[in-house]
Amino acid sequence: MLSDYPYLDEALKKLSVHQLTITEASAQYDLPKRVIYKALRQQQSKISQQKAYLLATQKRLQQNLQTIELELANLN
């Protein structure tokens, strides 16, 4: 459904940097507000998932670093 709107990505980019409001984007790109809201929710969900993944990766890397530091300390 969202792929039926060719200017949606452009509108979302402008919305994300606060260049347009949802009402302005709807009028300027001839997009229904419900489509914009749905796309924004999907985008936010994707960003939240990416953030959770990055935080988990960061924690795992910190634990690996601590393990390596302990092993190096034991070598000395």
Side-chain angles (χ1 to χ4, degrees):
M1 178 182 144
L2 294 179
S3 61
D4 295 340
Y5 300 96
Y7 297 109
L8 184 58
D9 285 339
E10 187 177 335
L12 290 175
K13 287 177 187 174
K14 289 192 176 186
L15 285 164
S16 70
V17 294
H18 306 288
Q19 288 181 340
L20 290 176
T21 65
I22 291 174
T23 302
E24 291 169 339
S26 176
Q28 183 173 336
Y29 293 101
D30 193 29
L31 297 166
K33 286 183 184 179
R34 64 180 168 72
V35 170
I36 295 172
Y37 282 116
K38 183 175 182 176
L40 286 172
R41 282 193 307 272
Q42 286 179 353
Q43 187 179 55
Q44 186 59 44
S45 175
K46 185 177 179 180
I47 289 169
S48 294
Q49 289 174 348
Q50 289 172 337
K51 184 178 178 181
Y53 172 79
L54 289 173
L55 289 172
T57 300
Q58 180 184 25
K59 183 176 180 179
R60 190 178 73 250
L61 288 172
Q62 286 173 336
Q63 290 171 341
N64 288 346
L65 178 60
Q66 288 175 346
T67 302
I68 290 169
E69 287 174 340
L70 286 173
E71 290 175 1
L72 283 173
N74 288 336
L75 290 175
N76 294 333

